[in-house]
């Protein structure tokens, strides 16, 4: 049986794509140098069928996923965001953009700004200073789970070149989908006892997946029927059209709420060249793991039989897979895109083969000539991830503190010295040395907190992310951690509990610069960064329910150096009252 795809809107081949890119370039860059890119966005709920089962998603300007932003390094993005959600606030985080000089534009509710109220418009204005593959997503409640996300691609500045060559490129934005809405999920996670949200129903590639049928039914042992698509369905796959004997760049970003993924292109090798907006030493893989919050660029060459098409697949890693593979097709022109590949989709590694996952992470090194980390640190913060109970509710905690956010954004509270904006007690830098990370805690109770790690400006900070046993025996999960406002060097991964002797494993020669790093079960990950960007910055597990349940901290540095903060960003809570009292209009 064939897959019928005849919608020309889905067939953006390399030649049409090249003409389109040239046309956009003429509009965007009429003169050499940085440009201001003006966008007007309206965020609203809408009915959509991402996988063939209609539900409600959050969209931007009637699109799901949201519009792809394309800019050049050095450009200014000016985005007027209007909230049409009617009953809830919204913010958008520009994932991977460091917001140097614009910390209020980071898009983190209660940390860098107030939530944008229904009917209000907020202007995000910031520079995209570094070329790379990024994305954006909601950062209020669980709005990322509701579908508020999109791609953000930053090309090299005018006149500059990438350190590798390719003939064309594609973007893949990976996500996961539940048929239960995000508000119901929030209630379930906060219930006593907790009702776990379960595994996603569908994996999406560029917002498209198939729940009620399979593209590869003929190769499956399941009872799923073969998808018969016209091509204009909202859940029809976006097929990648390629010419033989060319090299293509595949930009990949994962905005999943839960799933860790493995990606493969049937019978094609991939060469990894970029991670989280930073160049890496190229290395070849047959498949690759990608965790929530990560982004990569890979190169692949169309050197296979041009009379066939090939699967592009994503599969669940790190959790017992209960979600079918996400699939789309690599179409060799002039072969018909409706011709199904003649072999099964790629088989992913065993879901709990962590040695395989670690071997991939340990192959990532910074490209020669990349910035190197300072050789010493000024402060070391040990962050222990644990699962705990608070008044019978299941929570995640860091050093036995489960994060809850205050009604007044930290940025304003610290800037104006408002003592009651949040808990002024500094969270602990360490956990008890005798804690056994391989067993459930003897005392499984925790506490709430919203204290901040105050970092001395321009100092070097080491963070040791320490994983531990969860509530159940012999259970420890993967946690991808994302830092706002910075890139960090990933110095090392290790097993068991970190000790000072493990410093011998630190790579100070060519560690990769990242903004997201994974902690493997019962292990640790060592990071280093320089606190040189004034602001209040979230640092948290990028798994949406884990953050919702308290797995995060806040770093603050150099906030008194910030000259002005737009009133619109902090016009709520105590800062809002202060501004009204002082009649501040600027």
């Amino acid at each position: 049986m064939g897959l019928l795809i005849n919608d020309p809107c889905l067939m953006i081949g390399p030649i049409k794509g090249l003409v389109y890119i040239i046309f956009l370039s003429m509009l965007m860059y009429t003169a050499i140098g940085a440009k201001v890119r003006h966008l007007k966005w309206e965020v609203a709920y809408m009915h959509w069928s991402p996988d063939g089962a209609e539900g409600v998603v959050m969209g931007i300007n009637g699109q799901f996923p949201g519009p792809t932003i394309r800019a050049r390094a050095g450009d200014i993005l000016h985005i007027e965001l209007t909230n049409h959600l009617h009953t809830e606030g919204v913010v958008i985080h520009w994932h991977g953009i460091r917001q140097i000089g614009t910390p209020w534009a980071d898009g983190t509710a209660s940390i860098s700004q107030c939530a944008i109220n229904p009917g209000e418009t907020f202007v995000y204005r910031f520079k995209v200073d570094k070329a790379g593959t990024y994305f954006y997503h909601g950062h209020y409640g669980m709005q990322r789970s509701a579908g508020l996300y999109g791609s953000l691609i930053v090309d090299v500045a005018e006149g500059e070149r990438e350190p590798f060559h390719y003939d064309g490129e594609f973007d893949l934005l990976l996500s996961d989908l539940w048929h239960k809405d995000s508000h119901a999920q929030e209630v379930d996670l906060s219930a006593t006892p907790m009702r776990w949200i379960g595994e996603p129903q569908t994996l999406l590639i560029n917002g498209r997946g198939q729940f009620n049928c399979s593209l590869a039914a003929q190769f499956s042992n399941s009872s799923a029927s073969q998808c018969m698509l016209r091509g204009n369905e909202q859940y029809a796959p976006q097929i990648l059209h390629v010419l033989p004997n060319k090299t293509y760049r595949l930009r990949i970003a994962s905005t999943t709420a839960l799933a860790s993924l493995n990606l493969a292109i049937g019978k094609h090798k991939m060469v990894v060249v970029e991670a989280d907006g930073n160049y890496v030493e190229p290395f070849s893989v047959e498949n690759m793991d990608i965790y929530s919050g990560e982004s990569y660029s890979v190169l692949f060459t169309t050197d296979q039989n041009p009379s066939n098409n090939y699967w592009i697949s994503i599969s669940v890693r790190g959790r017992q897979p209960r979600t079918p593979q996400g699939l789309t097709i690599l179409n060799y022109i002039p072969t018909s895109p409706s011709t199904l590949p003649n072999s099964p989709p790629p088989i992913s590694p065993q879901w709990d083969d962590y040695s395989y996952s670690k071997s991939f992470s340990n192959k990532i090194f910074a490209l020669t000539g990349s910035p190197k980390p300072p050789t010493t640190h000024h402060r070391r913060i040990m962050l222990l991830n644990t699962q705990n109970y608070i008044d019978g509710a299941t929570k995640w905690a860091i050093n036995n503190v489960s994060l809850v956010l205050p009604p007044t954004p930290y940025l304003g509270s610290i800037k104006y010295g408002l003592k009651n904006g949040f808990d002024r007690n500094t969270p602990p830098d360490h956990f008890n040395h005798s804690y056994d990370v391989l067993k459930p805690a003897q005392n499984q109770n925790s506490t709430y907190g919203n204290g901040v790690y105050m970092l001395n400006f321009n100092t070097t900070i080491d963070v040791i992310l320490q994983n531990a046993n969860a509530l159940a025996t012999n259970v420890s999960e993967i946690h991808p951690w994302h830092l706002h406002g910075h890139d960090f060097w990933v110095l090392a991964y290790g097993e068991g509990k970190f000790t000072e002797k493990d410093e011998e494993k630190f790579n100070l020669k060519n560690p990769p610069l990242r903004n997201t790093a994974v902690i493997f079960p019962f292990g640790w990950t060592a990071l280093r960064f320089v606190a040189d960007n004034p602001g209040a910055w979230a640092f948290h597990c990028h798994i949406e329910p884990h953050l919702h349940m308290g797995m995060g901290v806040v770093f603050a540095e150099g906030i008194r150096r910030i000259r002005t903060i737009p009133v619109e960003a902090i016009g709520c809570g105590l800062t809002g009252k202060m501004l009204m009292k002082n009649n501040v209009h600027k």
Side-chain angles (χ1 to χ4, degrees), residues 220-235:
S220 173
N221 294 326
S222 71
S223 59
S225 61
Q226 179 70 41
C227 294
M228 297 299 295
L229 304 172
R230 299 182 304 277
N232 59 352
E233 297 89 349
Q234 290 174 341
Y235 61 97

Side-chain angles (χ1 to χ4, degrees), residues 122-161:
F122 182 84
V123 175
Y124 289 102
R125 187 180 176 94
F126 56 90
K127 179 186 286 187
V128 288
D129 64 299
K130 186 159 60 90
T133 303
Y134 308 104
F135 60 101
Y136 61 85
H137 60 80
H139 216 294
Y140 182 63
M142 292 180 61
Q143 291 179 345
R144 178 158 53 95
S145 292
L148 184 54
Y149 48 74
S151 295
L152 199 173
I153 306 301
V154 181
D155 293 308
V156 294
E158 191 78 24
E160 296 185 7
R161 291 185 178 183

Side-chain angles (χ1 to χ4, degrees), residues 377 380-384 430-433 435 437 462-467 491-506 522-528:
H377 64 278
R380 174 167 290 164
I381 301 173
M382 311 273 294
L383 299 179
L384 174 69
H430 304 276
F431 58 94
N432 192 313
H433 181 72
Y435 191 97
V437 301
D462 275 11
V463 176
I464 309 298
L465 292 166
Q466 177 67 65
N467 214 339
L491 301 184
Y493 303 93
E495 312 288 334
K497 185 162 66 175
F498 177 85
T499 66
E500 296 300 320
K501 190 176 180 181
D502 286 318
E503 286 191 40
E504 298 173 1
K505 302 175 183 176
F506 285 4
F522 298 110
W524 55 264
T525 300
L527 314 175
R528 180 169 291 177

Side-chain angles (χ1 to χ4, degrees), residues 325-460:
Q325 281 182 312
L327 296 171
T328 190
I329 291 174
L330 185 70
N331 166 231
Y332 271 64
I333 297 171
T335 301
S336 169
S338 63
T339 300
L340 287 172
N342 57 13
S343 57
I347 298 174
S348 72
Q350 180 69 22
W351 70 271
D352 57 355
D353 186 350
Y354 297 116
S355 295
Y356 193 96
S357 300
K358 293 171 186 176
S359 69
F360 174 77
S361 294
N362 284 318
K363 291 176 182 176
I364 303 174
F365 298 102
L367 185 66
T368 301
S370 299
K372 293 185 178 182
T375 55
T376 59
H377 64 278
H378 297 98
R379 181 178 178 183
R380 174 167 290 164
I381 301 173
M382 311 273 294
L383 299 179
L384 174 69
N385 300 314
T386 56
Q387 195 176 40
N388 304 80
Y389 293 116
I390 301 180
D391 298 329
T394 302
K395 300 294 177 181
W396 288 96
I398 304 302
N399 292 351
N400 210 41
V401 178
S402 184
L403 180 65
V404 291
L405 296 174
T408 304
Y410 292 104
L411 191 66
S413 290
I414 299 172
K415 169 68 176 176
Y416 295 106
L418 303 181
K419 296 181 180 180
N420 297 322
F422 58 90
D423 182 1
R424 289 287 173 161
N425 293 316
T426 302
D429 275 22
H430 304 276
F431 58 94
N432 192 313
H433 181 72
S434 63
Y435 191 97
D436 189 348
V437 301
L438 302 180
K439 296 180 181 179
Q442 292 182 344
N443 180 1
Q444 296 185 330
N445 294 312
S446 184
T447 58
Y448 293 116
N450 57 27
V452 180
Y453 289 92
M454 296 289 191
L455 309 180
N456 290 332
F457 188 69
N458 223 23
T459 58
T460 299

Side-chain angles (χ1 to χ4, degrees), residues 289-312:
D289 286 348
I290 180 169
Y291 304 98
S292 178
E294 291 188 326
S295 63
Y296 290 95
S297 283
V298 300
L299 305 178
F300 69 93
T301 301
T302 50
D303 54 5
Q304 298 300 303
N305 185 342
S307 63
N308 294 331
N309 291 328
Y310 302 88
W311 297 111
I312 298 174

Side-chain angles (χ1 to χ4, degrees), residues 29 62 75 83 91 181 215 254 289 340 362 397 440 446 469 485 521 529 535:
Y29 300 103
D75 284 356
N83 179 0
V91 295
D181 70 71
L215 300 179
S254 176
D289 286 348
L340 287 172
N362 284 318
S446 184
N469 200 101
F529 71 97

Side-chain angles (χ1 to χ4, degrees), residues 181-234:
D181 70 71
S182 61
H183 294 300
Q185 291 183 38
E186 291 176 358
V187 174
D188 286 349
L189 292 170
S190 301
T192 306
M194 178 193 69
R195 301 183 184 183
W196 178 239
I197 62 173
E199 304 305 308
Q201 275 67 65
T202 313
L203 301 179
L204 305 181
I205 300 176
N206 291 340
R208 297 162 181 255
Q210 296 76 43
F211 173 72
N212 54 2
C213 65
S214 171
L215 300 179
Q218 68 186 88
F219 302 109
S220 173
N221 294 326
S222 71
S223 59
S225 61
Q226 179 70 41
C227 294
M228 297 299 295
L229 304 172
R230 299 182 304 277
N232 59 352
E233 297 89 349
Q234 290 174 341

